[in-house]
Amino acid sequence: ILASMSGKGESAREEAIRKFYDEAEGDSLVLDKWFAVQADADLPDVLERVEKLVNHPDFNLTTPNRCRALILTFSANAAPFHDESGKGYKFIGDMLEKLDKVNSKVAARTTASCLIGWKKYNETRASLMKAQLERLKSMPHVSNELFEIVSKGLK
Protein backbone atom coordinates (compact mmCIF):
# COMPACT_ATOMS: atom_id res chain seq x y z
CA ILE A 1 0.00 0.00 0.00
CA LEU A 2 2.78 2.43 0.90
CA ALA A 3 4.51 1.97 -2.46
CA SER A 4 1.27 2.61 -4.33
CA MET A 5 0.83 5.88 -2.45
CA SER A 6 4.30 7.23 -3.16
CA GLY A 7 3.09 9.38 -6.03
CA LYS A 8 -0.56 10.37 -5.60
CA GLY A 9 -2.85 11.93 -3.01
CA GLU A 10 -0.66 14.16 -0.88
CA SER A 11 -2.54 14.12 2.43
CA ALA A 12 -3.32 10.40 2.23
CA ARG A 13 0.26 9.69 1.19
CA GLU A 14 1.78 11.70 4.03
CA GLU A 15 -0.52 10.03 6.54
CA ALA A 16 0.33 6.55 5.21
CA ILE A 17 4.06 7.31 5.36
CA ARG A 18 3.74 8.57 8.93
CA LYS A 19 1.62 5.60 10.00
CA PHE A 20 3.97 3.12 8.31
CA TYR A 21 6.91 4.68 10.18
CA ASP A 22 5.07 4.65 13.52
CA GLU A 23 4.03 1.02 13.11
CA ALA A 24 7.56 -0.04 12.16
CA GLU A 25 8.53 0.44 15.81
CA GLY A 26 12.22 0.63 14.94
CA ASP A 27 12.35 -2.61 12.91
CA SER A 28 15.43 -2.17 10.70
CA LEU A 29 14.11 -4.03 7.67
CA VAL A 30 10.80 -2.22 7.75
CA LEU A 31 12.54 1.14 8.13
CA ASP A 32 14.82 0.33 5.20
CA LYS A 33 11.67 -0.18 3.13
CA TRP A 34 10.23 3.08 4.48
CA PHE A 35 13.31 4.97 3.30
CA ALA A 36 13.44 3.14 -0.06
CA VAL A 37 9.79 3.77 -0.93
CA GLN A 38 10.25 7.49 -0.41
CA ALA A 39 13.47 7.58 -2.45
CA ASP A 40 11.67 5.79 -5.28
CA ALA A 41 8.60 8.03 -5.24
CA ASP A 42 7.21 9.47 -8.45
CA LEU A 43 7.08 13.01 -7.11
CA PRO A 44 8.51 16.27 -8.45
CA ASP A 45 10.20 17.02 -5.10
CA VAL A 46 11.66 13.56 -4.44
CA LEU A 47 15.24 14.87 -4.26
CA GLU A 48 14.25 17.43 -1.63
CA ARG A 49 12.48 14.69 0.31
CA VAL A 50 15.55 12.44 0.13
CA GLU A 51 17.79 15.30 1.25
CA LYS A 52 15.54 15.73 4.32
CA LEU A 53 15.61 11.99 5.00
CA VAL A 54 19.41 12.07 5.17
CA ASN A 55 18.92 14.12 8.35
CA HIS A 56 16.27 11.80 9.78
CA PRO A 57 17.22 10.33 13.19
CA ASP A 58 16.89 6.79 11.81
CA PHE A 59 19.29 7.43 8.92
CA ASN A 60 22.97 6.80 9.50
CA LEU A 61 25.78 6.58 6.97
CA THR A 62 27.41 3.84 9.03
CA THR A 63 24.48 1.49 8.37
CA PRO A 64 25.07 -0.06 4.91
CA ASN A 65 21.52 -1.31 4.32
CA ARG A 66 20.06 2.07 5.25
CA CYS A 67 22.46 3.79 2.83
CA ARG A 68 21.47 1.41 0.08
CA ALA A 69 17.79 1.85 0.87
CA LEU A 70 17.92 5.62 0.55
CA ILE A 71 20.89 6.58 -1.61
CA LEU A 72 21.04 3.69 -4.04
CA THR A 73 17.26 3.61 -4.43
CA PHE A 74 17.29 7.31 -5.25
CA SER A 75 20.01 6.75 -7.87
CA ALA A 76 17.78 4.10 -9.49
CA ASN A 77 14.86 6.56 -9.64
CA ALA A 78 15.68 7.65 -13.18
CA ALA A 79 13.71 10.87 -13.59
CA PRO A 80 14.98 12.77 -10.54
CA PHE A 81 18.45 11.23 -10.53
CA HIS A 82 19.06 12.03 -14.21
CA ASP A 83 17.39 15.44 -14.14
CA GLU A 84 19.31 17.65 -16.56
CA SER A 85 20.00 20.18 -13.80
CA GLY A 86 22.54 17.72 -12.39
CA LYS A 87 21.16 18.08 -8.87
CA GLY A 88 20.72 14.32 -8.53
CA TYR A 89 24.33 13.71 -9.51
CA LYS A 90 25.55 16.39 -7.12
CA PHE A 91 23.52 14.87 -4.30
CA ILE A 92 25.09 11.47 -4.97
CA GLY A 93 28.55 13.05 -5.16
CA ASP A 94 27.97 14.81 -1.83
CA MET A 95 26.74 11.60 -0.23
CA LEU A 96 29.66 9.58 -1.59
CA GLU A 97 32.08 12.13 -0.21
CA LYS A 98 30.56 11.74 3.26
CA LEU A 99 30.07 8.00 2.97
CA ASP A 100 33.65 7.38 1.87
CA LYS A 101 34.86 8.76 5.21
CA VAL A 102 32.82 6.27 7.26
CA ASN A 103 32.29 3.27 4.97
CA SER A 104 34.47 3.28 1.89
CA LYS A 105 33.42 -0.19 0.77
CA VAL A 106 29.76 0.81 0.55
CA ALA A 107 30.71 4.02 -1.21
CA ALA A 108 32.82 2.17 -3.75
CA ARG A 109 30.88 -1.02 -4.36
CA THR A 110 27.32 0.06 -4.01
CA THR A 111 26.80 3.72 -4.65
CA ALA A 112 29.63 4.82 -6.95
CA SER A 113 28.36 2.49 -9.65
CA CYS A 114 25.46 4.82 -10.41
CA LEU A 115 27.83 7.43 -11.90
CA ILE A 116 30.15 5.09 -13.79
CA GLY A 117 27.76 4.62 -16.72
CA TRP A 118 28.14 8.27 -17.75
CA LYS A 119 29.13 7.35 -21.32
CA LYS A 120 25.63 5.97 -21.98
CA TYR A 121 23.95 9.38 -21.56
CA ASN A 122 23.63 12.52 -23.63
CA GLU A 123 26.44 15.06 -23.54
CA THR A 124 24.85 17.23 -20.85
CA ARG A 125 24.20 14.39 -18.43
CA ALA A 126 27.47 12.64 -19.23
CA SER A 127 29.51 15.75 -18.45
CA LEU A 128 27.66 16.31 -15.17
CA MET A 129 28.14 12.68 -14.10
CA LYS A 130 31.79 12.71 -15.12
CA ALA A 131 32.33 15.93 -13.16
CA GLN A 132 31.14 14.20 -10.00
CA LEU A 133 33.49 11.27 -10.65
CA GLU A 134 36.40 13.68 -11.16
CA ARG A 135 35.45 15.52 -7.99
CA LEU A 136 35.43 12.27 -6.03
CA LYS A 137 38.74 11.16 -7.50
CA SER A 138 40.41 14.42 -6.47
CA MET A 139 39.08 14.47 -2.89
CA PRO A 140 41.94 14.99 -0.42
CA HIS A 141 41.56 11.77 1.57
CA VAL A 142 39.70 9.56 -0.88
CA SER A 143 39.81 5.90 0.09
CA ASN A 144 41.69 3.42 -2.06
CA GLU A 145 38.41 1.57 -2.75
CA LEU A 146 36.54 4.60 -4.04
CA PHE A 147 39.58 5.93 -5.91
CA GLU A 148 39.96 2.64 -7.78
CA ILE A 149 36.28 2.42 -8.82
CA VAL A 150 36.08 6.09 -9.81
CA SER A 151 39.37 5.94 -11.76
CA LYS A 152 38.15 2.94 -13.73
CA GLY A 153 34.85 4.70 -14.34
CA LEU A 154 36.59 7.73 -15.82
CA LYS A 155 38.40 5.69 -18.49
PDB file of all heavy atoms in Angstrom, residues 105-124:
ATOM      1  N   LYS A 105      33.850   0.956   1.581  1.00  0.00           N
ATOM      2  CA  LYS A 105      33.417  -0.195   0.769  1.00  0.00           C
ATOM      3  C   LYS A 105      32.008   0.020   0.216  1.00  0.00           C
ATOM      4  O   LYS A 105      31.738  -0.280  -0.939  1.00  0.00           O
ATOM      5  CB  LYS A 105      33.501  -1.484   1.582  1.00  0.00           C
ATOM      6  CG  LYS A 105      34.922  -1.962   1.793  1.00  0.00           C
ATOM      7  CD  LYS A 105      34.944  -3.242   2.598  1.00  0.00           C
ATOM      8  CE  LYS A 105      36.303  -3.848   2.771  1.00  0.00           C
ATOM      9  NZ  LYS A 105      37.402  -3.012   3.117  1.00  0.00           N
ATOM     10  N   VAL A 106      31.123   0.528   1.028  1.00  0.00           N
ATOM     11  CA  VAL A 106      29.758   0.810   0.554  1.00  0.00           C
ATOM     12  C   VAL A 106      29.797   1.915  -0.488  1.00  0.00           C
ATOM     13  O   VAL A 106      29.133   1.827  -1.517  1.00  0.00           O
ATOM     14  CB  VAL A 106      28.818   1.175   1.726  1.00  0.00           C
ATOM     15  CG1 VAL A 106      27.469   1.658   1.218  1.00  0.00           C
ATOM     16  CG2 VAL A 106      28.634  -0.015   2.641  1.00  0.00           C
ATOM     17  N   ALA A 107      30.594   2.927  -0.247  1.00  0.00           N
ATOM     18  CA  ALA A 107      30.706   4.022  -1.212  1.00  0.00           C
ATOM     19  C   ALA A 107      31.199   3.498  -2.554  1.00  0.00           C
ATOM     20  O   ALA A 107      30.656   3.841  -3.604  1.00  0.00           O
ATOM     21  CB  ALA A 107      31.648   5.106  -0.682  1.00  0.00           C
ATOM     22  N   ALA A 108      32.213   2.657  -2.512  1.00  0.00           N
ATOM     23  CA  ALA A 108      32.821   2.173  -3.752  1.00  0.00           C
ATOM     24  C   ALA A 108      31.976   1.125  -4.454  1.00  0.00           C
ATOM     25  O   ALA A 108      31.710   1.226  -5.651  1.00  0.00           O
ATOM     26  CB  ALA A 108      34.204   1.605  -3.453  1.00  0.00           C
ATOM     27  N   ARG A 109      31.541   0.128  -3.733  1.00  0.00           N
ATOM     28  CA  ARG A 109      30.879  -1.020  -4.363  1.00  0.00           C
ATOM     29  C   ARG A 109      29.415  -0.798  -4.674  1.00  0.00           C
ATOM     30  O   ARG A 109      28.896  -1.347  -5.639  1.00  0.00           O
ATOM     31  CB  ARG A 109      31.015  -2.242  -3.463  1.00  0.00           C
ATOM     32  CG  ARG A 109      32.432  -2.710  -3.348  1.00  0.00           C
ATOM     33  CD  ARG A 109      32.518  -3.944  -2.492  1.00  0.00           C
ATOM     34  NE  ARG A 109      33.913  -4.331  -2.328  1.00  0.00           N
ATOM     35  CZ  ARG A 109      34.360  -5.028  -1.315  1.00  0.00           C
ATOM     36  NH1 ARG A 109      33.540  -5.430  -0.377  1.00  0.00           N
ATOM     37  NH2 ARG A 109      35.636  -5.335  -1.237  1.00  0.00           N
ATOM     38  N   THR A 110      28.748  -0.059  -3.848  1.00  0.00           N
ATOM     39  CA  THR A 110      27.316   0.065  -4.015  1.00  0.00           C
ATOM     40  C   THR A 110      26.924   1.354  -4.721  1.00  0.00           C
ATOM     41  O   THR A 110      26.263   1.328  -5.751  1.00  0.00           O
ATOM     42  CB  THR A 110      26.613   0.013  -2.644  1.00  0.00           C
ATOM     43  OG1 THR A 110      27.022  -1.171  -1.979  1.00  0.00           O
ATOM     44  CG2 THR A 110      25.116   0.004  -2.801  1.00  0.00           C
ATOM     45  N   THR A 111      27.348   2.452  -4.200  1.00  0.00           N
ATOM     46  CA  THR A 111      26.803   3.716  -4.652  1.00  0.00           C
ATOM     47  C   THR A 111      27.561   4.335  -5.816  1.00  0.00           C
ATOM     48  O   THR A 111      26.954   4.942  -6.683  1.00  0.00           O
ATOM     49  CB  THR A 111      26.748   4.702  -3.474  1.00  0.00           C
ATOM     50  OG1 THR A 111      26.274   4.006  -2.320  1.00  0.00           O
ATOM     51  CG2 THR A 111      25.815   5.828  -3.744  1.00  0.00           C
ATOM     52  N   ALA A 112      28.867   4.183  -5.863  1.00  0.00           N
ATOM     53  CA  ALA A 112      29.635   4.815  -6.946  1.00  0.00           C
ATOM     54  C   ALA A 112      29.224   4.299  -8.311  1.00  0.00           C
ATOM     55  O   ALA A 112      29.336   5.002  -9.308  1.00  0.00           O
ATOM     56  CB  ALA A 112      31.135   4.601  -6.720  1.00  0.00           C
ATOM     57  N   SER A 113      28.726   3.088  -8.370  1.00  0.00           N
ATOM     58  CA  SER A 113      28.360   2.486  -9.655  1.00  0.00           C
ATOM     59  C   SER A 113      27.307   3.291 -10.415  1.00  0.00           C
ATOM     60  O   SER A 113      27.232   3.215 -11.636  1.00  0.00           O
ATOM     61  CB  SER A 113      27.873   1.055  -9.441  1.00  0.00           C
ATOM     62  OG  SER A 113      26.722   1.057  -8.628  1.00  0.00           O
ATOM     63  N   CYS A 114      26.516   4.071  -9.724  1.00  0.00           N
ATOM     64  CA  CYS A 114      25.459   4.824 -10.406  1.00  0.00           C
ATOM     65  C   CYS A 114      26.010   5.937 -11.289  1.00  0.00           C
ATOM     66  O   CYS A 114      25.310   6.406 -12.185  1.00  0.00           O
ATOM     67  CB  CYS A 114      24.455   5.371  -9.404  1.00  0.00           C
ATOM     68  SG  CYS A 114      25.159   6.506  -8.211  1.00  0.00           S
ATOM     69  N   LEU A 115      27.247   6.368 -11.073  1.00  0.00           N
ATOM     70  CA  LEU A 115      27.830   7.427 -11.898  1.00  0.00           C
ATOM     71  C   LEU A 115      28.735   6.887 -12.997  1.00  0.00           C
ATOM     72  O   LEU A 115      29.038   7.581 -13.956  1.00  0.00           O
ATOM     73  CB  LEU A 115      28.636   8.395 -11.015  1.00  0.00           C
ATOM     74  CG  LEU A 115      27.838   9.196  -9.997  1.00  0.00           C
ATOM     75  CD1 LEU A 115      28.779   9.917  -9.039  1.00  0.00           C
ATOM     76  CD2 LEU A 115      26.907  10.182 -10.680  1.00  0.00           C
ATOM     77  N   ILE A 116      29.161   5.659 -12.871  1.00  0.00           N
ATOM     78  CA  ILE A 116      30.154   5.095 -13.790  1.00  0.00           C
ATOM     79  C   ILE A 116      29.617   4.932 -15.216  1.00  0.00           C
ATOM     80  O   ILE A 116      30.389   5.003 -16.166  1.00  0.00           O
ATOM     81  CB  ILE A 116      30.702   3.769 -13.229  1.00  0.00           C
ATOM     82  CG1 ILE A 116      31.539   4.092 -12.000  1.00  0.00           C
ATOM     83  CG2 ILE A 116      31.514   3.019 -14.248  1.00  0.00           C
ATOM     84  CD1 ILE A 116      32.039   2.898 -11.264  1.00  0.00           C
ATOM     85  N   GLY A 117      28.335   4.795 -15.379  1.00  0.00           N
ATOM     86  CA  GLY A 117      27.760   4.616 -16.715  1.00  0.00           C
ATOM     87  C   GLY A 117      27.573   5.907 -17.483  1.00  0.00           C
ATOM     88  O   GLY A 117      26.769   5.975 -18.410  1.00  0.00           O
ATOM     89  N   TRP A 118      28.313   6.939 -17.159  1.00  0.00           N
ATOM     90  CA  TRP A 118      28.140   8.269 -17.753  1.00  0.00           C
ATOM     91  C   TRP A 118      28.229   8.279 -19.274  1.00  0.00           C
ATOM     92  O   TRP A 118      27.605   9.107 -19.921  1.00  0.00           O
ATOM     93  CB  TRP A 118      29.132   9.260 -17.148  1.00  0.00           C
ATOM     94  CG  TRP A 118      30.585   8.935 -17.380  1.00  0.00           C
ATOM     95  CD1 TRP A 118      31.370   8.142 -16.597  1.00  0.00           C
ATOM     96  CD2 TRP A 118      31.415   9.383 -18.450  1.00  0.00           C
ATOM     97  NE1 TRP A 118      32.639   8.069 -17.108  1.00  0.00           N
ATOM     98  CE2 TRP A 118      32.696   8.825 -18.251  1.00  0.00           C
ATOM     99  CE3 TRP A 118      31.205  10.199 -19.558  1.00  0.00           C
ATOM    100  CZ2 TRP A 118      33.759   9.056 -19.108  1.00  0.00           C
ATOM    101  CZ3 TRP A 118      32.270  10.438 -20.419  1.00  0.00           C
ATOM    102  CH2 TRP A 118      33.532   9.872 -20.192  1.00  0.00           C
ATOM    103  N   LYS A 119      28.962   7.361 -19.865  1.00  0.00           N
ATOM    104  CA  LYS A 119      29.132   7.351 -21.325  1.00  0.00           C
ATOM    105  C   LYS A 119      27.845   6.982 -22.065  1.00  0.00           C
ATOM    106  O   LYS A 119      27.727   7.230 -23.256  1.00  0.00           O
ATOM    107  CB  LYS A 119      30.232   6.361 -21.716  1.00  0.00           C
ATOM    108  CG  LYS A 119      31.607   6.782 -21.249  1.00  0.00           C
ATOM    109  CD  LYS A 119      32.634   5.724 -21.589  1.00  0.00           C
ATOM    110  CE  LYS A 119      33.973   6.070 -20.957  1.00  0.00           C
ATOM    111  NZ  LYS A 119      34.958   5.008 -21.133  1.00  0.00           N
ATOM    112  N   LYS A 120      26.885   6.404 -21.364  1.00  0.00           N
ATOM    113  CA  LYS A 120      25.627   5.969 -21.981  1.00  0.00           C
ATOM    114  C   LYS A 120      24.620   7.115 -22.143  1.00  0.00           C
ATOM    115  O   LYS A 120      23.567   6.921 -22.735  1.00  0.00           O
ATOM    116  CB  LYS A 120      24.964   4.885 -21.134  1.00  0.00           C
ATOM    117  CG  LYS A 120      25.793   3.640 -20.953  1.00  0.00           C
ATOM    118  CD  LYS A 120      25.099   2.693 -19.995  1.00  0.00           C
ATOM    119  CE  LYS A 120      25.992   1.536 -19.621  1.00  0.00           C
ATOM    120  NZ  LYS A 120      25.420   0.736 -18.542  1.00  0.00           N
ATOM    121  N   TYR A 121      24.926   8.288 -21.599  1.00  0.00           N
ATOM    122  CA  TYR A 121      23.954   9.376 -21.558  1.00  0.00           C
ATOM    123  C   TYR A 121      24.322  10.499 -22.525  1.00  0.00           C
ATOM    124  O   TYR A 121      25.445  10.555 -23.033  1.00  0.00           O
ATOM    125  CB  TYR A 121      23.822   9.890 -20.119  1.00  0.00           C
ATOM    126  CG  TYR A 121      23.239   8.815 -19.225  1.00  0.00           C
ATOM    127  CD1 TYR A 121      24.067   7.935 -18.540  1.00  0.00           C
ATOM    128  CD2 TYR A 121      21.870   8.629 -19.147  1.00  0.00           C
ATOM    129  CE1 TYR A 121      23.531   6.909 -17.765  1.00  0.00           C
ATOM    130  CE2 TYR A 121      21.322   7.610 -18.379  1.00  0.00           C
ATOM    131  CZ  TYR A 121      22.161   6.759 -17.693  1.00  0.00           C
ATOM    132  OH  TYR A 121      21.634   5.746 -16.949  1.00  0.00           O
ATOM    133  N   ASN A 122      23.371  11.396 -22.734  1.00  0.00           N
ATOM    134  CA  ASN A 122      23.631  12.520 -23.629  1.00  0.00           C
ATOM    135  C   ASN A 122      24.764  13.379 -23.070  1.00  0.00           C
ATOM    136  O   ASN A 122      25.172  13.233 -21.926  1.00  0.00           O
ATOM    137  CB  ASN A 122      22.359  13.336 -23.891  1.00  0.00           C
ATOM    138  CG  ASN A 122      21.846  14.063 -22.667  1.00  0.00           C
ATOM    139  OD1 ASN A 122      22.600  14.542 -21.820  1.00  0.00           O
ATOM    140  ND2 ASN A 122      20.528  14.173 -22.558  1.00  0.00           N
ATOM    141  N   GLU A 123      25.253  14.270 -23.899  1.00  0.00           N
ATOM    142  CA  GLU A 123      26.436  15.057 -23.544  1.00  0.00           C
ATOM    143  C   GLU A 123      26.265  15.832 -22.244  1.00  0.00           C
ATOM    144  O   GLU A 123      27.177  15.900 -21.422  1.00  0.00           O
ATOM    145  CB  GLU A 123      26.777  16.012 -24.694  1.00  0.00           C
ATOM    146  CG  GLU A 123      28.086  16.736 -24.525  1.00  0.00           C
ATOM    147  CD  GLU A 123      28.424  17.609 -25.718  1.00  0.00           C
ATOM    148  OE1 GLU A 123      28.032  17.282 -26.846  1.00  0.00           O
ATOM    149  OE2 GLU A 123      29.085  18.637 -25.503  1.00  0.00           O
ATOM    150  N   THR A 124      25.102  16.436 -22.064  1.00  0.00           N
ATOM    151  CA  THR A 124      24.852  17.228 -20.853  1.00  0.00           C
ATOM    152  C   THR A 124      24.950  16.358 -19.605  1.00  0.00           C
ATOM    153  O   THR A 124      25.687  16.670 -18.666  1.00  0.00           O
ATOM    154  CB  THR A 124      23.456  17.885 -20.915  1.00  0.00           C
ATOM    155  OG1 THR A 124      23.399  18.716 -22.069  1.00  0.00           O
ATOM    156  CG2 THR A 124      23.169  18.698 -19.670  1.00  0.00           C
TER     157      THR A 124
END
